[in-house]
Amino acid sequence: MIMIFSGLPLARNHFQHAAAVTEGGFQLTDRVPLIDKKFANRVDWNLMRTFVDIVRAGGIGAAARQLNRQQPSISAALKRLEDHVGTTLLHRTATGVEMTAAGKAMMTLCEDMLESARMMPHQIAQATKRVEGFVRIQIVSGLVSPEFDEAIASFHRRNPDIHIEIRVSPWRQVLDALEQGEVEIGVSYDSSVRGSLMYEPLLVERQQLYCSRSSPYFGHRVSRLIELKDERFVLTGEDEIELIRNLRRRNRLGTRVSGLAEDINEAQRLITLGVGIGFLPVLAAEGAVARGRLWPLLHADVEPSYDIYLLARTDPARDTATQLFWDEVFRRVRALRMA
Amino acid sequence: MIMIFSGLPLARNHFQHAAAVTEGGFQLTDRVPLIDKKFANRVDWNLMRTFVDIVRAGGIGAAARQLNRQQPSISAALKRLEDHVGTTLLHRTATGVEMTAAGKAMMTLCEDMLESARMMPHQIAQATKRVEGFVRIQIVSGLVSPEFDEAIASFHRRNPDIHIEIRVSPWRQVLDALEQGEVEIGVSYDSSVRGSLMYEPLLVERQQLYCSRSSPYFGHRVSRLIELKDERFVLTGEDEIELIRNLRRRNRLGTRVSGLAEDINEAQRLITLGVGIGFLPVLAAEGAVARGRLWPLLHADVEPSYDIYLLARTDPARDTATQLFWDEVFRRVRALRMA
DNA sequence: CATGATCATAGATCAAATCGATGCCACCCG
DNA sequence: CGGGTGGCATCGATTTGATCTATGATCATG
């Protein structure tokens, strides 16, 4: 056991009960935290990075291979960390390691540290010189997100030399373009979760079934969708998400297709012009509804809703421009979600 | 430059050169960063702790003394860090060091890391065992803060074995008790800034001048305070803050003192009973106003307002109970301020 | 029961941070 | 102005301590 007295130990007598957890030390526990005051000043911070690597790799040996070290090296590192902390962080099993409760707590803090470390080159680049580069963004059409717009504006203000390119496409193509490296950032719906992509929920989009002013339904709510099965429909083709497709199928809507447009704005135009009824995102149609050119047929509480994500490749080595952009949007979205 | 392509235009060639540019990505170089992919994986994270120490100490030599190392050691460490980053972080002057723009960016990130590291022992204690201990809190009277209340409730839920003690006193005594180690946490106004304490703005308190139902002013607004100079006054003695005192003096209020109570609640009782008029925090008086027992004499936009702070000693080695409590309140206040 | 994982331990090795001495520069003051 | 002072950088020697190799223990799996 190692005891370190620094400063004025006795003066704090009164507080000894207040530090009960750490004080437990002197009775011979099996393992004793080396220190607790000034913990952060004495530990080797690199151990925390290693800790994350171990957990992410799922085992000590696995981590060793990824890091091009030998297994005992990592094993020893973990032990050093645990000695400093005074607790077992990972249970060693025959199949790898699993986190203890303490390990989980440690993990989130270590991940915070990693995130800070990862941001350094980018933040410094931003602080030092004007960052140049490209950010290519591919989004689904009809997207309405003031936060995202503001993020772009603010990002451009701070980094006027970064080219921003926005493409619009059906949602599947957004995902494909991302995976194939054609763009760095995506904003889209996704029906599943692709391992190669990072998903950050951006907003919840809702859709509504709209008809034009010329429709006999204008001004009326429809309670049973199936009533509309013989109506002419405007579809969004590839851009239609499963949720809507299933809803349509269940109610036999859209058997008579009178219009088709991949782009939500064009679909909206067709619906407004009375070509047929069709689904649109609520926020996208808002303006037209307010001007009395579209009418929502469903009750608000049955509007199908789904998540729209901010997307990027999981590629840990993103270029600075992309990283800064992601961070800009991320910060705003997170701050918003707090409220 | 911002480019927007609508629809699904242009094929590969456009993006090919875009890719080329991005490859070049991080080339903003008077000095070449050793690596920037995987920056976080290659740097010695301890350098970041050292960096904070240097900045906080105000110089390389100063930091060396604090850390019980030799000056060249620290100097070399800083150089290593700057080499990895690829930029000068600190300008060496004859009087110490000063941060460059990049250094400032680095500093905030490094401080984040330090904060995470500091939290580790406490978070782990919380995760592992039930934390025992004491948190003694001293606050000013008449404080209304749902966030603070919720923080206490939630804190107690998570740490049922920590004793919580709350004392009430005039604001000066809150500060004194803190500095003398009689309590760990304070909530109070302060007219200056004491170096030994940490200040986290908790809320903005406003005060109003109230009269009772029996006052001839009840139901009327007073536009010129001096009209009231002959009114009987209820004072809060030591607990009165400078702002209010000056306001009173300027308008010769309170020359006829008919009541005195250090505690806001008691002062409010006296005012309500018609002993005199007097200043009270708006939120504290809210209930009595709603029940028609008090009447605010001032227009809302001239209500004097001031900050109430969450306070603790700057002591870096707080015990776990205190640290967790501080963190609980801190998180809530910060989250709230985001919105 | 053997095989192939996993992780732990021990002693040797080697890299790198630290040290101590020295030199340079800017500033201050007599 | 010129010597002192306090700041930091540079250099080679030293020592610390993390990593490596080799080996052993334990546990899943076929």
Side-chain angles (χ1 to χ4, degrees):
Chain A
M1 137 166 293
I2 302 179
M3 298 186 61
I4 300 184
F5 296 101
S6 63
L8 356 138
L10 291 184
R12 299 185 58 87
N13 252 356
H14 184 70
F15 288 110
Q16 234 139 45
H17 71 278
V21 171
T22 51
E23 289 291 331
F26 210 167
Q27 284 86 343
L28 321 158
T29 49
D30 39 5
R31 209 188 302 193
V32 167
L34 290 194
I35 340 83
D36 181 83
K37 336 254 192 198
K38 303 193 294 177
F39 165 89
N41 298 325
R42 319 217 126 228
V43 213
D44 182 349
W45 281 16
N46 295 316
L47 297 178
M48 293 154 192
R49 172 176 50 199
T50 307
F51 180 75
V52 174
D53 290 327
I54 296 174
V55 175
R56 294 234 240 254
I60 293 181
R65 284 187 291 278
Q66 287 182 15
L67 298 171
N68 296 319
R69 316 247 113 96
Q70 293 309 103
Q71 169 265 321
S73 174
I74 307 300
S75 183
L78 177 57
K79 185 169 165 30
R80 286 197 295 277
L81 182 59
E82 287 180 330
D83 283 348
H84 276 283
V85 168
T87 323
T88 307
L89 296 173
L90 300 177
H91 277 130
R92 282 73 158 174
T93 75
T95 70
V97 295
E98 54 190 26
M99 287 186 275
T100 64
K104 288 192 194 118
M106 178 62 105
M107 183 63 179
T108 72
L109 287 168
C110 288
E111 279 181 320
D112 285 352
M113 291 182 73
L114 179 61
E115 185 54 27
S116 294
R118 270 179 18 77
M119 285 307 297
M120 283 175 187
H122 308 120
Q123 289 290 68
I124 284 176
Q126 193 180 36
T128 321
K129 14 229 155 180
R130 323 199 107 195
V131 181
E132 306 179 356
F134 256 76
V135 179
R136 292 166 298 179
I137 308 167
Q138 191 151 336
I139 66 176
V140 292
S141 65
L143 185 73
V144 175
S145 167
E147 297 80 41
F148 190 68
D149 294 347
E150 274 170 36
I152 292 182
S154 148
F155 178 74
H156 178 63
R157 237 174 286 125
R158 289 153 69 115
N159 307 94
D161 294 342
I162 295 184
H163 293 247
I164 303 177
E165 241 181 74
I166 302 188
R167 294 172 77 179
V168 179
S169 76
W171 62 270
R172 274 181 228 278
Q173 292 175 30
V174 172
L175 301 168
D176 294 341
L178 262 173
E179 281 195 321
Q180 284 159 35
E182 292 170 24
V183 295
E184 286 78 35
I185 298 284
V187 177
S188 170
Y189 162 79
D190 193 356
S191 55
S192 63
V193 173
R194 308 193 187 191
S196 59
L197 299 181
M198 299 186 54
Y199 294 76
E200 178 67 24
L202 186 62
L203 56 90
V204 177
E205 201 174 74
R206 286 171 299 144
Q207 291 210 8
Q208 247 292 0
L209 184 54
Y210 292 97
C211 69
S212 77
R213 186 170 237 160
S214 61
S215 161
Y217 287 96
F218 194 94
H220 305 297
R221 286 280 182 278
V222 171
S223 52
R224 305 193 59 245
L225 268 181
I226 200 132
E227 296 175 26
L228 301 169
K229 73 178 163 55
D230 292 325
E231 282 297 306
R232 290 172 196 280
F233 234 81
V234 172
L235 296 184
T236 47
E238 255 204 277
D239 209 13
E240 185 173 55
I241 71 175
E242 280 95 340
L243 197 62
I244 300 292
R245 176 153 307 176
N246 293 337
L247 187 64
R248 263 199 317 110
R249 293 245 169 97
R250 269 205 307 281
N251 297 284
R252 303 212 195 87
L253 304 178
T255 47
R256 300 179 61 189
V257 178
S258 59
L260 180 80
E262 301 280 345
D263 189 296
I264 291 290
N265 297 308
E266 299 309 318
Q268 177 175 335
R269 183 200 307 275
L270 293 178
I271 297 171
T272 310
L273 295 175
V275 174
I277 65 176
F279 283 98
L280 295 172
V282 171
L283 291 176
E286 202 169 43
V289 172
R291 285 194 307 277
R293 306 175 65 91
L294 283 179
W295 179 258
L297 296 168
L298 308 179
H299 290 282
D301 47 3
V302 291
E303 290 170 355
S305 73
Y306 47 92
D307 277 314
I308 297 288
Y309 299 98
L310 177 69
L311 302 163
R313 254 162 289 132
T314 45
D315 184 3
R318 292 201 271 275
D319 65 280
T320 297
T322 303
Q323 179 62 49
L324 290 176
F325 185 86
W326 174 274
D327 197 47
E328 178 80 41
V329 182
F330 187 85
R331 273 211 333 273
R332 287 166 181 270
V333 173
R334 277 289 161 94
L336 203 74
R337 200 168 320 142
M338 285 285 131
Chain B
M1 170 211 259
I2 300 184
M3 310 170 59
I4 300 186
F5 299 99
S6 232
L8 359 145
L10 45 153
R12 320 238 166 265
N13 10 7
H14 190 85
F15 284 116
Q16 225 125 53
H17 92 278
V21 174
T22 316
E23 300 266 350
F26 198 77
Q27 57 195 218
L28 358 120
T29 48
D30 34 15
R31 207 196 300 190
V32 176
L34 293 194
I35 340 82
D36 55 48
K37 332 257 191 200
K38 304 190 296 178
F39 166 89
N41 299 324
R42 321 220 123 230
V43 211
D44 182 350
W45 281 17
N46 294 316
L47 297 177
M48 293 152 192
R49 171 176 52 198
T50 306
F51 180 75
V52 174
D53 290 328
I54 296 174
V55 174
R56 295 233 238 255
I60 293 181
R65 283 187 292 278
Q66 287 183 15
L67 299 172
N68 295 319
R69 323 239 112 99
Q70 296 305 104
Q71 170 265 322
S73 176
I74 306 300
S75 183
L78 177 57
K79 185 170 164 30
R80 285 198 295 277
L81 181 60
E82 287 180 330
D83 283 347
H84 275 285
V85 168
T87 321
T88 306
L89 296 173
L90 300 177
H91 276 129
R92 282 74 158 171
T93 76
T95 71
V97 295
E98 54 189 27
M99 287 186 275
T100 63
K104 288 192 194 119
M106 177 64 103
M107 183 62 178
T108 72
L109 287 170
C110 289
E111 280 181 318
D112 286 351
M113 291 183 73
L114 179 60
E115 186 53 27
S116 295
R118 271 178 19 76
M119 286 307 296
M120 282 174 189
H122 307 119
Q123 291 289 37
I124 284 176
Q126 192 179 36
T128 318
K129 17 220 162 185
R130 322 197 106 197
V131 180
E132 305 178 356
F134 256 74
V135 179
R136 290 165 299 179
I137 308 167
Q138 191 151 337
I139 66 176
V140 292
S141 64
L143 186 72
V144 176
S145 167
E147 299 79 44
F148 190 67
D149 294 349
E150 276 169 35
I152 292 182
S154 145
F155 176 73
H156 182 253
R157 238 174 286 127
R158 290 153 66 118
N159 306 94
D161 295 342
I162 297 184
H163 293 247
I164 304 177
E165 224 178 276
I166 301 188
R167 302 182 203 170
V168 178
S169 77
W171 63 268
R172 273 181 230 277
Q173 292 174 31
V174 172
L175 301 168
D176 293 340
L178 262 173
E179 279 194 324
Q180 283 159 36
E182 292 170 24
V183 296
E184 287 79 32
I185 298 284
V187 177
S188 170
Y189 162 79
D190 193 358
S191 56
S192 64
V193 173
R194 307 194 186 190
S196 60
L197 299 181
M198 300 185 53
Y199 294 75
E200 179 66 26
L202 186 62
L203 57 90
V204 177
E205 201 173 75
R206 287 172 300 144
Q207 292 208 8
Q208 246 293 359
L209 184 53
Y210 292 97
C211 69
S212 76
R213 188 169 236 160
S214 61
S215 161
Y217 287 97
F218 194 93
H220 305 299
R221 286 279 182 278
V222 171
S223 52
R224 304 194 58 245
L225 269 181
I226 201 131
E227 295 176 27
L228 302 169
K229 73 179 162 54
D230 292 326
E231 283 297 307
R232 292 173 194 280
F233 234 81
V234 172
L235 296 184
T236 47
E238 254 205 278
D239 209 14
E240 184 173 56
I241 70 174
E242 280 95 342
L243 197 62
I244 300 291
R245 176 152 307 176
N246 293 338
L247 187 64
R248 267 199 315 110
R249 294 244 168 99
R250 268 203 309 279
N251 296 283
R252 304 213 194 85
L253 304 179
T255 47
R256 301 179 61 191
V257 178
S258 57
L260 179 79
E262 301 279 346
D263 189 295
I264 290 290
N265 296 307
E266 299 308 318
Q268 178 175 335
R269 182 200 309 274
L270 293 179
I271 297 171
T272 309
L273 295 176
V275 174
I277 65 175
F279 283 97
L280 296 172
V282 171
L283 291 176
E286 201 169 43
V289 172
R291 286 194 306 279
R293 306 174 66 90
L294 284 177
W295 179 257
L297 295 168
L298 306 179
H299 291 280
D301 48 1
V302 291
E303 290 170 354
S305 73
Y306 47 92
D307 277 313
I308 297 288
Y309 299 98
L310 178 68
L311 302 162
R313 253 162 289 129
T314 45
D315 185 1
R318 291 200 272 275
D319 65 280
T320 297
T322 304
Q323 180 61 51
L324 289 176
F325 185 87
W326 174 274
D327 196 49
E328 177 80 42
V329 182
F330 188 85
R331 272 212 331 274
R332 288 166 182 272
V333 173
R334 276 291 160 94
L336 202 75
R337 198 169 321 140
M338 286 285 132

